[in-house]
Amino acid sequence: MLLCLPTSVTEAQECLAEGAVPIGGATLVWATWQRDGFPGLAMSLREVPEANVMGRESVGGAVVLHRIDAQQPDVLRLAAATIGTGAVRRTATVGGNLVGSALRCLLPAALVLDTRATVLETDGVREADLTEVVAERPVLLSLRWRAPIASAYRKLTGQAGGPPPLVVASALHAGDGGGRCLRVAVRDGYDVLSGDTAGDTGAEDALDALRGTALGELPAVAWDVIRPQVTGLLHGDGANGEGLSAPDR
């Protein structure tokens, strides 16, 4: 297998045109390749500047998970910190997790940040929403969002050999025309559901409104986590650090 290491978007496009397979951090594909055979040409974006951005409102697709720190919103930082082991987080990338993983541990956090993606294709780069990223699995260059007022994250402890542990992410945003918007996303098994409502009401009104969204289908155990997160964000009493629990195995 030949590994293509482009240093620009143009070179990355050329690698794609030649049939290179994107590998992210290779934590998810290596075992499959050992079993089924390696591709003739693979590509890593680790030398492409646009895929390595790090800031308060952006992160590159080639950024490894352990680099996500206090620059980024709490919900994204806490989500990254619970993925795999320390060794995995030093290798796995943002793009690999969102595009290459069935678990998509970062997806609830990205959804509540109202994230937009920049993706790479053979004929250029373009913007895409997360629904398209999950469905079509393009090459992810970067993510960007508008920094929230506050955010929160919790992952429950999963059982070995069982379904993925429940994840609840939430964020409170300033609205464009004034007011505030509350966004909540939940991973229940392999499904990710989300909903939003006004963030200027009391917690009970906000929870009632969220039950009228897709989140209303969730089991009681999910609402046992959603309720204190929503209450903490709307009352400003710091739900951000709650529930940093056992990582996925």
Side-chain angles (χ1 to χ4, degrees), residues 182 184 195-198 201-217 223 226-227 230-231 234:
L182 175 68
V184 178
D196 61 77
T197 188
T201 63
E204 291 303 321
D205 288 341
L207 288 163
D208 286 343
L210 289 171
R211 287 185 183 275
T213 70
L215 299 173
E217 305 172 12
W223 285 97
I226 294 171
R227 176 178 291 277
V230 167
T231 301
L234 294 185

PDB file of all heavy atoms in Angstrom, residues 182 184 195-198 201-217 223 226-227 230-231 234:
ATOM      1  N   LEU A 182     -31.964  26.676  22.641  1.00  0.00           N
ATOM      2  CA  LEU A 182     -31.441  25.502  23.328  1.00  0.00           C
ATOM      3  C   LEU A 182     -31.496  24.313  22.384  1.00  0.00           C
ATOM      4  O   LEU A 182     -32.547  24.008  21.810  1.00  0.00           O
ATOM      5  CB  LEU A 182     -32.282  25.212  24.575  1.00  0.00           C
ATOM      6  CG  LEU A 182     -31.942  23.936  25.350  1.00  0.00           C
ATOM      7  CD1 LEU A 182     -30.572  24.061  26.015  1.00  0.00           C
ATOM      8  CD2 LEU A 182     -33.021  23.647  26.394  1.00  0.00           C
ATOM      9  N   VAL A 184     -30.516  20.108  21.952  1.00  0.00           N
ATOM     10  CA  VAL A 184     -30.197  18.865  22.656  1.00  0.00           C
ATOM     11  C   VAL A 184     -30.093  17.744  21.634  1.00  0.00           C
ATOM     12  O   VAL A 184     -30.901  17.671  20.700  1.00  0.00           O
ATOM     13  CB  VAL A 184     -31.273  18.514  23.706  1.00  0.00           C
ATOM     14  CG1 VAL A 184     -30.945  17.190  24.397  1.00  0.00           C
ATOM     15  CG2 VAL A 184     -31.401  19.628  24.744  1.00  0.00           C
ATOM     16  N   GLY A 195     -33.238  17.842  18.956  1.00  0.00           N
ATOM     17  CA  GLY A 195     -34.342  18.780  18.976  1.00  0.00           C
ATOM     18  C   GLY A 195     -33.880  20.107  19.522  1.00  0.00           C
ATOM     19  O   GLY A 195     -32.826  20.198  20.168  1.00  0.00           O
ATOM     20  N   ASP A 196     -34.646  21.161  19.257  1.00  0.00           N
ATOM     21  CA  ASP A 196     -34.289  22.478  19.790  1.00  0.00           C
ATOM     22  C   ASP A 196     -35.548  23.228  20.182  1.00  0.00           C
ATOM     23  O   ASP A 196     -36.651  22.912  19.740  1.00  0.00           O
ATOM     24  CB  ASP A 196     -33.460  23.275  18.774  1.00  0.00           C
ATOM     25  CG  ASP A 196     -34.200  23.522  17.474  1.00  0.00           C
ATOM     26  OD1 ASP A 196     -35.078  24.402  17.454  1.00  0.00           O
ATOM     27  OD2 ASP A 196     -33.912  22.841  16.485  1.00  0.00           O
ATOM     28  N   THR A 197     -35.364  24.226  21.024  1.00  0.00           N
ATOM     29  CA  THR A 197     -36.468  25.050  21.498  1.00  0.00           C
ATOM     30  C   THR A 197     -35.917  26.390  21.961  1.00  0.00           C
ATOM     31  O   THR A 197     -34.688  26.578  22.036  1.00  0.00           O
ATOM     32  CB  THR A 197     -37.215  24.346  22.649  1.00  0.00           C
ATOM     33  OG1 THR A 197     -38.391  25.094  22.967  1.00  0.00           O
ATOM     34  CG2 THR A 197     -36.341  24.209  23.885  1.00  0.00           C
ATOM     35  N   ALA A 198     -36.801  27.301  22.269  1.00  0.00           N
ATOM     36  CA  ALA A 198     -36.380  28.591  22.798  1.00  0.00           C
ATOM     37  C   ALA A 198     -35.678  28.403  24.138  1.00  0.00           C
ATOM     38  O   ALA A 198     -36.070  27.548  24.935  1.00  0.00           O
ATOM     39  CB  ALA A 198     -37.586  29.514  22.954  1.00  0.00           C
ATOM     40  N   THR A 201     -37.278  30.455  28.203  1.00  0.00           N
ATOM     41  CA  THR A 201     -38.365  30.039  29.073  1.00  0.00           C
ATOM     42  C   THR A 201     -37.784  29.377  30.318  1.00  0.00           C
ATOM     43  O   THR A 201     -36.578  29.202  30.449  1.00  0.00           O
ATOM     44  CB  THR A 201     -39.271  29.043  28.343  1.00  0.00           C
ATOM     45  OG1 THR A 201     -38.512  27.862  28.038  1.00  0.00           O
ATOM     46  CG2 THR A 201     -39.782  29.624  27.029  1.00  0.00           C
ATOM     47  N   GLY A 202     -38.641  28.970  31.203  1.00  0.00           N
ATOM     48  CA  GLY A 202     -38.191  28.178  32.330  1.00  0.00           C
ATOM     49  C   GLY A 202     -37.845  26.775  31.882  1.00  0.00           C
ATOM     50  O   GLY A 202     -38.185  26.335  30.778  1.00  0.00           O
ATOM     51  N   ALA A 203     -37.157  26.040  32.748  1.00  0.00           N
ATOM     52  CA  ALA A 203     -36.703  24.700  32.394  1.00  0.00           C
ATOM     53  C   ALA A 203     -37.871  23.773  32.082  1.00  0.00           C
ATOM     54  O   ALA A 203     -37.813  22.989  31.132  1.00  0.00           O
ATOM     55  CB  ALA A 203     -35.862  24.124  33.535  1.00  0.00           C
ATOM     56  N   GLU A 204     -38.958  23.848  32.849  1.00  0.00           N
ATOM     57  CA  GLU A 204     -40.087  22.945  32.620  1.00  0.00           C
ATOM     58  C   GLU A 204     -40.729  23.213  31.268  1.00  0.00           C
ATOM     59  O   GLU A 204     -41.099  22.279  30.551  1.00  0.00           O
ATOM     60  CB  GLU A 204     -41.111  23.068  33.742  1.00  0.00           C
ATOM     61  CG  GLU A 204     -40.621  22.532  35.078  1.00  0.00           C
ATOM     62  CD  GLU A 204     -40.197  21.073  34.982  1.00  0.00           C
ATOM     63  OE1 GLU A 204     -40.862  20.285  34.284  1.00  0.00           O
ATOM     64  OE2 GLU A 204     -39.176  20.718  35.611  1.00  0.00           O
ATOM     65  N   ASP A 205     -40.874  24.495  30.900  1.00  0.00           N
ATOM     66  CA  ASP A 205     -41.436  24.818  29.586  1.00  0.00           C
ATOM     67  C   ASP A 205     -40.522  24.328  28.470  1.00  0.00           C
ATOM     68  O   ASP A 205     -40.989  23.826  27.440  1.00  0.00           O
ATOM     69  CB  ASP A 205     -41.647  26.329  29.459  1.00  0.00           C
ATOM     70  CG  ASP A 205     -42.807  26.828  30.297  1.00  0.00           C
ATOM     71  OD1 ASP A 205     -43.656  26.000  30.690  1.00  0.00           O
ATOM     72  OD2 ASP A 205     -42.844  28.044  30.572  1.00  0.00           O
ATOM     73  N   ALA A 206     -39.220  24.492  28.652  1.00  0.00           N
ATOM     74  CA  ALA A 206     -38.273  24.028  27.637  1.00  0.00           C
ATOM     75  C   ALA A 206     -38.330  22.504  27.493  1.00  0.00           C
ATOM     76  O   ALA A 206     -38.305  21.975  26.376  1.00  0.00           O
ATOM     77  CB  ALA A 206     -36.863  24.472  28.002  1.00  0.00           C
ATOM     78  N   LEU A 207     -38.405  21.803  28.610  1.00  0.00           N
ATOM     79  CA  LEU A 207     -38.483  20.335  28.564  1.00  0.00           C
ATOM     80  C   LEU A 207     -39.768  19.878  27.891  1.00  0.00           C
ATOM     81  O   LEU A 207     -39.761  18.927  27.098  1.00  0.00           O
ATOM     82  CB  LEU A 207     -38.380  19.772  29.977  1.00  0.00           C
ATOM     83  CG  LEU A 207     -36.988  19.875  30.619  1.00  0.00           C
ATOM     84  CD1 LEU A 207     -37.078  19.679  32.128  1.00  0.00           C
ATOM     85  CD2 LEU A 207     -36.039  18.856  30.005  1.00  0.00           C
ATOM     86  N   ASP A 208     -40.863  20.546  28.171  1.00  0.00           N
ATOM     87  CA  ASP A 208     -42.128  20.200  27.508  1.00  0.00           C
ATOM     88  C   ASP A 208     -42.017  20.397  26.001  1.00  0.00           C
ATOM     89  O   ASP A 208     -42.500  19.571  25.206  1.00  0.00           O
ATOM     90  CB  ASP A 208     -43.264  21.053  28.062  1.00  0.00           C
ATOM     91  CG  ASP A 208     -43.698  20.623  29.457  1.00  0.00           C
ATOM     92  OD1 ASP A 208     -43.356  19.499  29.860  1.00  0.00           O
ATOM     93  OD2 ASP A 208     -44.379  21.415  30.127  1.00  0.00           O
ATOM     94  N   ALA A 209     -41.379  21.495  25.601  1.00  0.00           N
ATOM     95  CA  ALA A 209     -41.216  21.756  24.172  1.00  0.00           C
ATOM     96  C   ALA A 209     -40.326  20.705  23.520  1.00  0.00           C
ATOM     97  O   ALA A 209     -40.589  20.245  22.401  1.00  0.00           O
ATOM     98  CB  ALA A 209     -40.634  23.152  23.960  1.00  0.00           C
ATOM     99  N   LEU A 210     -39.270  20.302  24.188  1.00  0.00           N
ATOM    100  CA  LEU A 210     -38.365  19.285  23.641  1.00  0.00           C
ATOM    101  C   LEU A 210     -39.062  17.937  23.493  1.00  0.00           C
ATOM    102  O   LEU A 210     -38.757  17.165  22.582  1.00  0.00           O
ATOM    103  CB  LEU A 210     -37.128  19.146  24.523  1.00  0.00           C
ATOM    104  CG  LEU A 210     -36.147  20.321  24.488  1.00  0.00           C
ATOM    105  CD1 LEU A 210     -35.082  20.161  25.571  1.00  0.00           C
ATOM    106  CD2 LEU A 210     -35.492  20.447  23.111  1.00  0.00           C
ATOM    107  N   ARG A 211     -40.010  17.650  24.389  1.00  0.00           N
ATOM    108  CA  ARG A 211     -40.759  16.389  24.264  1.00  0.00           C
ATOM    109  C   ARG A 211     -41.629  16.377  23.011  1.00  0.00           C
ATOM    110  O   ARG A 211     -42.047  15.312  22.548  1.00  0.00           O
ATOM    111  CB  ARG A 211     -41.624  16.168  25.503  1.00  0.00           C
ATOM    112  CG  ARG A 211     -40.820  15.782  26.745  1.00  0.00           C
ATOM    113  CD  ARG A 211     -41.727  15.444  27.911  1.00  0.00           C
ATOM    114  NE  ARG A 211     -40.977  15.145  29.112  1.00  0.00           N
ATOM    115  CZ  ARG A 211     -40.467  13.956  29.409  1.00  0.00           C
ATOM    116  NH1 ARG A 211     -40.649  12.946  28.558  1.00  0.00           N
ATOM    117  NH2 ARG A 211     -39.792  13.756  30.521  1.00  0.00           N
ATOM    118  N   GLY A 212     -41.888  17.542  22.443  1.00  0.00           N
ATOM    119  CA  GLY A 212     -42.639  17.621  21.197  1.00  0.00           C
ATOM    120  C   GLY A 212     -41.785  17.455  19.953  1.00  0.00           C
ATOM    121  O   GLY A 212     -42.305  17.463  18.835  1.00  0.00           O
ATOM    122  N   THR A 213     -40.472  17.283  20.132  1.00  0.00           N
ATOM    123  CA  THR A 213     -39.561  17.046  19.016  1.00  0.00           C
ATOM    124  C   THR A 213     -39.272  15.548  18.895  1.00  0.00           C
ATOM    125  O   THR A 213     -39.881  14.730  19.591  1.00  0.00           O
ATOM    126  CB  THR A 213     -38.240  17.820  19.214  1.00  0.00           C
ATOM    127  OG1 THR A 213     -37.500  17.224  20.297  1.00  0.00           O
ATOM    128  CG2 THR A 213     -38.510  19.291  19.550  1.00  0.00           C
ATOM    129  N   ALA A 214     -38.319  15.204  18.057  1.00  0.00           N
ATOM    130  CA  ALA A 214     -37.935  13.792  17.911  1.00  0.00           C
ATOM    131  C   ALA A 214     -37.453  13.197  19.224  1.00  0.00           C
ATOM    132  O   ALA A 214     -37.517  11.975  19.428  1.00  0.00           O
ATOM    133  CB  ALA A 214     -36.838  13.657  16.849  1.00  0.00           C
ATOM    134  N   LEU A 215     -37.000  14.043  20.149  1.00  0.00           N
ATOM    135  CA  LEU A 215     -36.515  13.555  21.435  1.00  0.00           C
ATOM    136  C   LEU A 215     -37.620  12.915  22.270  1.00  0.00           C
ATOM    137  O   LEU A 215     -37.342  12.160  23.204  1.00  0.00           O
ATOM    138  CB  LEU A 215     -35.880  14.701  22.230  1.00  0.00           C
ATOM    139  CG  LEU A 215     -34.662  15.379  21.590  1.00  0.00           C
ATOM    140  CD1 LEU A 215     -34.257  16.601  22.407  1.00  0.00           C
ATOM    141  CD2 LEU A 215     -33.500  14.403  21.469  1.00  0.00           C
ATOM    142  N   GLY A 216     -38.864  13.227  21.957  1.00  0.00           N
ATOM    143  CA  GLY A 216     -39.979  12.653  22.696  1.00  0.00           C
ATOM    144  C   GLY A 216     -40.061  11.146  22.599  1.00  0.00           C
ATOM    145  O   GLY A 216     -40.734  10.497  23.416  1.00  0.00           O
ATOM    146  N   GLU A 217     -39.393  10.553  21.612  1.00  0.00           N
ATOM    147  CA  GLU A 217     -39.401   9.098  21.441  1.00  0.00           C
ATOM    148  C   GLU A 217     -38.441   8.397  22.396  1.00  0.00           C
ATOM    149  O   GLU A 217     -38.462   7.167  22.504  1.00  0.00           O
ATOM    150  CB  GLU A 217     -38.989   8.746  19.998  1.00  0.00           C
ATOM    151  CG  GLU A 217     -39.824   9.411  18.919  1.00  0.00           C
ATOM    152  CD  GLU A 217     -39.235   9.182  17.533  1.00  0.00           C
ATOM    153  OE1 GLU A 217     -38.323   8.324  17.414  1.00  0.00           O
ATOM    154  OE2 GLU A 217     -39.673   9.850  16.588  1.00  0.00           O
ATOM    155  N   TRP A 223     -34.300  10.866  29.517  1.00  0.00           N
ATOM    156  CA  TRP A 223     -34.856  12.092  30.098  1.00  0.00           C
ATOM    157  C   TRP A 223     -34.326  12.348  31.495  1.00  0.00           C
ATOM    158  O   TRP A 223     -34.270  13.493  31.949  1.00  0.00           O
ATOM    159  CB  TRP A 223     -36.382  12.031  30.066  1.00  0.00           C
ATOM    160  CG  TRP A 223     -36.878  12.270  28.675  1.00  0.00           C
ATOM    161  CD1 TRP A 223     -37.228  11.331  27.743  1.00  0.00           C
ATOM    162  CD2 TRP A 223     -37.009  13.534  28.032  1.00  0.00           C
ATOM    163  NE1 TRP A 223     -37.568  11.934  26.559  1.00  0.00           N
ATOM    164  CE2 TRP A 223     -37.454  13.279  26.704  1.00  0.00           C
ATOM    165  CE3 TRP A 223     -36.805  14.847  28.440  1.00  0.00           C
ATOM    166  CZ2 TRP A 223     -37.690  14.309  25.797  1.00  0.00           C
ATOM    167  CZ3 TRP A 223     -37.044  15.876  27.539  1.00  0.00           C
ATOM    168  CH2 TRP A 223     -37.477  15.602  26.234  1.00  0.00           C
ATOM    169  N   ILE A 226     -31.361  14.312  30.380  1.00  0.00           N
ATOM    170  CA  ILE A 226     -31.703  15.565  29.708  1.00  0.00           C
ATOM    171  C   ILE A 226     -32.176  16.617  30.718  1.00  0.00           C
ATOM    172  O   ILE A 226     -31.776  17.786  30.647  1.00  0.00           O
ATOM    173  CB  ILE A 226     -32.799  15.331  28.644  1.00  0.00           C
ATOM    174  CG1 ILE A 226     -32.266  14.455  27.510  1.00  0.00           C
ATOM    175  CG2 ILE A 226     -33.302  16.662  28.092  1.00  0.00           C
ATOM    176  CD1 ILE A 226     -33.336  14.006  26.527  1.00  0.00           C
ATOM    177  N   ARG A 227     -33.021  16.199  31.658  1.00  0.00           N
ATOM    178  CA  ARG A 227     -33.618  17.162  32.588  1.00  0.00           C
ATOM    179  C   ARG A 227     -32.560  17.973  33.350  1.00  0.00           C
ATOM    180  O   ARG A 227     -32.611  19.221  33.331  1.00  0.00           O
ATOM    181  CB  ARG A 227     -34.560  16.441  33.554  1.00  0.00           C
ATOM    182  CG  ARG A 227     -35.152  17.347  34.636  1.00  0.00           C
ATOM    183  CD  ARG A 227     -36.118  16.588  35.517  1.00  0.00           C
ATOM    184  NE  ARG A 227     -37.324  16.234  34.782  1.00  0.00           N
ATOM    185  CZ  ARG A 227     -38.346  17.045  34.602  1.00  0.00           C
ATOM    186  NH1 ARG A 227     -38.314  18.278  35.122  1.00  0.00           N
ATOM    187  NH2 ARG A 227     -39.405  16.667  33.921  1.00  0.00           N
ATOM    188  N   VAL A 230     -30.611  20.421  30.915  1.00  0.00           N
ATOM    189  CA  VAL A 230     -31.400  21.582  30.496  1.00  0.00           C
ATOM    190  C   VAL A 230     -31.553  22.565  31.651  1.00  0.00           C
ATOM    191  O   VAL A 230     -31.368  23.779  31.493  1.00  0.00           O
ATOM    192  CB  VAL A 230     -32.770  21.121  29.966  1.00  0.00           C
ATOM    193  CG1 VAL A 230     -33.728  22.309  29.827  1.00  0.00           C
ATOM    194  CG2 VAL A 230     -32.611  20.411  28.629  1.00  0.00           C
ATOM    195  N   THR A 231     -31.863  22.042  32.816  1.00  0.00           N
ATOM    196  CA  THR A 231     -32.027  22.907  33.981  1.00  0.00           C
ATOM    197  C   THR A 231     -30.735  23.646  34.292  1.00  0.00           C
ATOM    198  O   THR A 231     -30.739  24.858  34.560  1.00  0.00           O
ATOM    199  CB  THR A 231     -32.466  22.071  35.193  1.00  0.00           C
ATOM    200  OG1 THR A 231     -33.694  21.403  34.891  1.00  0.00           O
ATOM    201  CG2 THR A 231     -32.666  22.954  36.417  1.00  0.00           C
ATOM    202  N   LEU A 234     -30.052  26.438  31.536  1.00  0.00           N
ATOM    203  CA  LEU A 234     -30.967  27.577  31.571  1.00  0.00           C
ATOM    204  C   LEU A 234     -30.830  28.379  32.861  1.00  0.00           C
ATOM    205  O   LEU A 234     -31.078  29.589  32.871  1.00  0.00           O
ATOM    206  CB  LEU A 234     -32.409  27.094  31.401  1.00  0.00           C
ATOM    207  CG  LEU A 234     -32.731  26.473  30.037  1.00  0.00           C
ATOM    208  CD1 LEU A 234     -34.218  26.153  29.936  1.00  0.00           C
ATOM    209  CD2 LEU A 234     -32.316  27.381  28.890  1.00  0.00           C
TER     210      LEU A 234
END
